[in-house]
Amino acid sequence: MALSHTILALLSKQPDSGYDISKHFDEDLSCYWKATQQQVYRELSKLTKNGWVRFETRPQAGKPDKKIYHITDDGWQELTRWYMEPTEPSPIREDLIVKVLIGHKMPRQLLLKEIQHRQKLHSAQLAEYRKIEKEKLIANSELAMQYAYLTLKRGIAYETSWLTWCEEVLEEIN
């Protein structure tokens, strides 16, 4: 999946500014897609050149004008074309798994420390997802939110599987 399709998907829900699109990546999509503000603005420029989005300028008092991006008919066609393509799993590239692979050649304490560090990170992320689940998504019956909840559930499963794996590694090497 390309960043462009993720931005088009966001704009299919509602027109938005580049800043607000970046916030969606930080707050709503972080369990499955990361993008910096710089990447978002660079991609919006490409999408505009392709004719997949257009923008309207809104003046702001004491600030530069705000660009509000809208998906175009061509953008919808591209998003639909992409949506019809089958998906493939993303390859795993994970430093920690390589460290476990060579753990028998390294001081065991270093690996234990790294696994415990990752447990804390994944526990914190899981807690954040659970908070979002409780506050925003479970009780909301709006159709779009139901689909957003399905993506959050994948993030929850991802973090839970990491925690399970970390426990298994710790049991095995202790």
Side-chain angles (χ1 to χ4, degrees), residues 26-86:
D26 291 341
E27 297 171 5
D28 304 330
L29 308 180
S30 64
C31 66
Y32 56 92
W33 197 272
K34 306 268 189 226
T36 65
Q37 194 172 31
Q38 193 175 39
Q39 289 172 312
V40 167
Y41 281 108
R42 189 170 42 244
E43 201 63 34
L44 283 168
S45 177
K46 291 177 190 175
L47 291 170
T48 303
K49 286 178 187 171
N50 286 342
W52 296 348
V53 301
R54 64 175 173 75
F55 63 87
E56 63 181 272
T57 305
R58 290 192 188 156
Q60 300 185 102
K63 296 180 184 177
D65 292 346
K66 181 186 261 189
K67 290 180 180 178
I68 303 297
Y69 292 87
H70 302 259
I71 189 169
T72 64
D73 288 342
D74 286 348
W76 269 108
Q77 286 179 6
E78 172 54 23
L79 188 58
T80 302
R81 183 206 59 76
W82 167 82
Y83 194 84
M84 292 186 323
E85 290 179 355

Side-chain angles (χ1 to χ4, degrees), residues 90-101:
S90 300
I92 297 174
R93 292 185 181 112
E94 179 58 57
D95 293 347
L96 180 56
I97 295 173
V98 177
K99 288 183 177 187
V100 170
L101 176 68

Side-chain angles (χ1 to χ4, degrees), residues 9 13 15 24 41 43 48 62 79 111 115 140 146 174:
K13 293 167 65 173
H24 288 300
Y41 281 108
E43 201 63 34
T48 303
L79 188 58
L111 183 56
I115 295 291
N140 193 323
Q146 290 173 351
N174 267 332

